[in-house]
């Protein structure tokens, strides 16, 4: 990644990865069961 | 500055903002509309409003500038704000807060805790913390917004401060949470376009991702000696483990804000505004992207500005900004982006300030109406006045306090007040909130003791131990004759690190020793929660 430190490279990758993870999680739960009231 | 273009852009912006305020006003008819947006908000509006309320101008300018000084290590805060502030908050806390607040008829953060633990004392204490301490955080955001208007439009500071405060106060009072969330969503879209454009523009300016990172790694020898002595090892490296800089970056910036976000009353309120749990899950999709482009951009642009300034001017960012980290991001943006973008970026920063301020004022107003007036019986003073009327009065008081504080507080208070508020919230509210949602056997005495112990431990930490605040306040030097009660590393460990365990242990220990809540109340509270 061009960084000096593996921890900083990890933060860069994880920040993008976690945002992508949120997109996937949201999409997978798109039709989550309604809470009947 | 191209005045005609600026006028058109600002008028268009104000026109959309006004239209959304009017829409919020027309759709606000009941107390429930004013307090929790009628519990019927669209999931994407909720997600964008949550993000816009979370990210203030100081998060972009202040934290972006801090990243220009400290480096890419701050990206861990981006990871935490997405994983903790969005994923954990939305997937684990959100659906339970929504359902439990519905079961208990709660429409504020404090009334949720109070009703869950059947404790008026807990609701009142939490409401007091919010109503008395939040103006400090509100005024910090107000100062940031007013300074920005002063610099961008050449307006006098007092005029900027009053204009910003009065405009926001009026629209929060007229449109309630509906008006706040509609305008928040618009502001969030402006912020998203502005920050995403800045991220791509920055990587283009430094030759791409790998070239930019490698080029910055090669500048390690340029780190100022004072920062090297504190543990700085380059902009693409973590600070030396256990150094002063490491404790500041990890405990205050990364953990303090990254964990503190979970217990922010103005953010948890958002979960009460949607009709279905699936709205909250759908909102995760938007929330993750939004927070990445806000904090991620700030923490990537800040460090890379060093490379750009070195290549073009032979100086690192802090030298170009003449020692003021708050100027790093604005100078960098005006250096690399086209003129038209500067107007848009101005609106991005204005949106960040207004959206956070409006949310803070709303939560203070509702805390005043529901948790102080409602529980202390003050409502009898104005017979027939609805909760909304009291909330509007609370908003006026909170706004007046924030404007007054904005005159009194010192110039460099913005980042400190933010960290202080996030730290107090996490220590006072987080263990109690987690127990409220996940531990049916937690007792009201345990919850109250935890909230009091957490807020006291955190407050004493800032007053006597944490150097940055303790020195500014001066209590330790007056009482003990030295700047702080204990030596390093306590001077650089954020109070959250010890006050959160204090509050957690207190909650568990007292709950195990005191009378369990009634079974019927727990069944009603947790109905359809899991």
């Amino acid at each position: 990644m061009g960084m000096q430190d593996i921890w900083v490279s990890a933060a860069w990758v994880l920040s993008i990865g976690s945002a992508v993870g949120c997109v996937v999680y949201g999409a997978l739960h798109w039709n989550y069961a309604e809470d009947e009231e | 500055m191209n005045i005609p273009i600026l006028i058109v852009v600002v008028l268009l912006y104000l026109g959309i903002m006004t239209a959304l305020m009017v829409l919020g006003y027309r759709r606000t008819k009941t107390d429930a509309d004013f307090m929790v947006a009628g519990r019927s908000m669209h999931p994407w509006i909720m997600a964008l409003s949550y993000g816009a309320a979370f990210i203030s101008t100081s998060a972009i300018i202040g934290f972006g500038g801090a990243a220009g000084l400290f480096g890419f290590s701050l990206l861990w805060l981006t990871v935490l704000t997405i994983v903790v502030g969005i994923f954990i908050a939305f997937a684990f806390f959100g659906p339970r807060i929504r359902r439990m607040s519905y079961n208990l008829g709660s429409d504020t953060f404090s009334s949720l805790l109070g009703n869950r633990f059947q404790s008026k004392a807990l609701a009142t204490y939490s409401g007091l913390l919010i109503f008395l301490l939040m103006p400090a955080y509100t005024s910090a955001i107000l100062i940031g917004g007013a300074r920005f208007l002063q610099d961008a439009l050449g307006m006098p500071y007092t005029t900027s401060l009053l204009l910003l405060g009065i405009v926001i106060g009026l629209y929060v009072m007229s449109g309630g949470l509906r008006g706040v969330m509609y305008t928040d969503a618009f502001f969030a879209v402006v912020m998203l376009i502005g920050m995403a454009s800045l991220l791509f523009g920055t990587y283009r300016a430094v030759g791409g991702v790998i070239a930019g990172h490698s080029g910055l790694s090669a500048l390690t020898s340029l780190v100022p000696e004072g920062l090297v002595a504190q543990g700085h090892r380059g902009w693409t490296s973590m600070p030396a483990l256990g150094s002063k800089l490491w404790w500041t970056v990890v405990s205050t910036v990364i953990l303090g804000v990254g964990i503190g976000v979970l217990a922010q009353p103005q953010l948890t309120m958002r979960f009460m505004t949607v009709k279905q749990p699936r709205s909250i899950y759908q909102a995760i999709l938007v929330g993750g992207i939004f927070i990445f482009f806000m904090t991620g951009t700030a923490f990537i642009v800040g460090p890379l500005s060093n490379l750009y300034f070195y290549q073009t001017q032979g100086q690192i960012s802090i030298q170009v900004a003449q020692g003021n980290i708050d100027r790093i991001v604005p100078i960098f943006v005006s250096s690399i982006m086209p003129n038209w973008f500067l107007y848009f970026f101005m609106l991005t920063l204005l949106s960040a300030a207004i959206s956070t301020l409006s949310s803070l004022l709303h939560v203070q107003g509702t805390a005043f109406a529901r948790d102080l007036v409602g529980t202390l019986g003050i409502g009898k003073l104005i017979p027939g006045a609805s909760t909304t009327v009291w909330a509007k009065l609370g908003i006026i008081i909170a706004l007046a306090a924030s404007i007054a504080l904005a005159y009194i507080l010192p110039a460099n208070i913005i980042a400190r007040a933010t960290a202080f508020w996030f730290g107090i919230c996490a220590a006072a509210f987080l263990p109690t909130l987690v127990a409220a949602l996940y531990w049916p056997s937690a007792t009201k005495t345990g919850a109250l003791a935890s909230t009091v112990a957490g807020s006291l431990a955190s407050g004493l930490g800032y007053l006597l131990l944490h150097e940055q605040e303790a020195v500014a306040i001066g209590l330790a030097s007056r009482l003990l004759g030295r700047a702080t009660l204990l030596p390093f590393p306590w001077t650089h460990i954020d109070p959250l690190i010890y006050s959160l365990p204090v509050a957690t242990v207190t909650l568990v220990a007292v709950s195990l020793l005191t009378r369990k809540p009634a079974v019927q109340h727990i069944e009603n509270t947790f109905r359809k929660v899991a």
Side-chain angles (χ1 to χ4, degrees), chain B residues 486-511:
Chain B
L486 295 171
F488 178 80
W490 294 98
T491 51
H492 286 73
I493 297 175
D494 194 86
L496 172 81
I497 303 299
Y498 43 83
S499 55
L500 192 56
V502 165
T504 307
V505 169
T506 305
L507 177 86
V508 174
V510 177
S511 287

Side-chain angles (χ1 to χ4, degrees), chain B residues 95 110 114 116 120 166 220 241 267 291 298 326 330 338 397 433 455 508 523:
Chain B
S110 303
R116 159 67 180 86
K120 277 190 177 182
I166 290 169
T220 300
L241 186 68
L267 300 184
I291 294 297
D326 288 345
I397 297 170
L433 180 63
S455 53
V508 174
E523 281 178 2

Side-chain angles (χ1 to χ4, degrees), chain B residues 177-264:
Chain B
L177 195 54
R178 271 189 197 281
V180 168
M181 290 179 77
Y182 289 153
T183 45
D184 275 0
F186 165 62
F187 294 143
V189 171
V190 172
M191 291 160 72
L192 195 56
I193 296 170
M195 294 301 276
S197 306
L198 179 59
L199 180 64
F200 293 118
T202 300
Y203 271 124
R204 198 184 55 186
V206 296
V209 174
I210 304 293
H213 298 171
S214 305
L216 189 60
S217 295
L219 299 186
T220 300
S221 61
L222 299 177
V223 174
E225 278 180 25
L227 284 173
V228 173
Q230 289 185 43
H232 201 309
R233 300 192 304 171
W235 288 281
T236 61
S237 182
M238 291 294 286
L241 186 68
S243 64
K244 286 182 176 178
L245 194 60
W246 187 88
W247 277 111
T248 301
V249 167
V250 174
S251 75
T252 300
V253 180
I254 298 174
L255 293 177
V257 178
I259 294 176
V261 63
L262 269 179
Q264 288 288 301

Side-chain angles (χ1 to χ4, degrees), chain B residues 81-97:
Chain B
T81 49
I82 297 173
V83 174
V84 177
I86 297 295
F87 182 70
I88 292 178
F90 280 54
F92 294 96
F93 282 35
R96 285 177 179 248
I97 289 173

Side-chain angles (χ1 to χ4, degrees), chain B residues 299-323:
Chain B
F299 299 148
I300 288 172
V301 166
L304 287 176
S305 66
N306 288 286
L307 177 61
Y308 178 81
F309 287 133
Y310 183 71
Q311 288 172 339
T312 55
Q313 302 181 31
Q315 290 183 312
I316 61 169
S317 304
I318 194 67
Q319 293 166 332
V320 173
Q322 296 173 324

Side-chain angles (χ1 to χ4, degrees), chain A residues 13-29, chain B residues 82-83 86-88 91 281-289 292:
Chain A
V13 172
L14 281 175
S15 61
I16 295 173
S18 53
V20 173
C22 284
V23 172
V24 173
Y25 187 89
L28 290 176
H29 287 74
Chain B
I82 297 173
V83 174
I86 297 295
F87 182 70
I88 292 178
Y281 293 119
Q282 289 173 352
I284 293 175
L285 192 151
V286 180
I289 297 173
F292 170 76

Side-chain angles (χ1 to χ4, degrees), chain A residues 1-5 7-8 10-12 14-16 18-19 22-23 25-27 29-37, chain B residues 44 72 75-76 78-79 82 87 98-99 102 203 213-214 217 220 233 236-238 276-278 281-282 284 289 292 528:
Chain A
M1 300 305 307
M3 307 283 197
Q4 285 172 274
D5 188 328
W7 286 101
V8 174
W12 192 88
L14 281 175
S15 61
I16 295 173
S18 53
C22 284
V23 172
Y25 187 89
H29 287 74
W30 198 257
N31 292 316
Y32 187 83
E34 291 282 337
D35 185 10
E36 73 288 349
E37 202 46 70
Chain B
W44 287 23
F72 270 113
L75 265 179
W76 278 107
T78 298
V79 178
I82 297 173
F87 182 70
R98 186 201 72 84
R99 185 68 220 190
Y102 181 84
Y203 271 124
H213 298 171
S214 305
S217 295
T220 300
R233 300 192 304 171
T236 61
S237 182
M238 291 294 286
Q276 297 294 339
R278 82 166 168 209
Y281 293 119
Q282 289 173 352
I284 293 175
I289 297 173
F292 170 76
K528 293 184 184 175

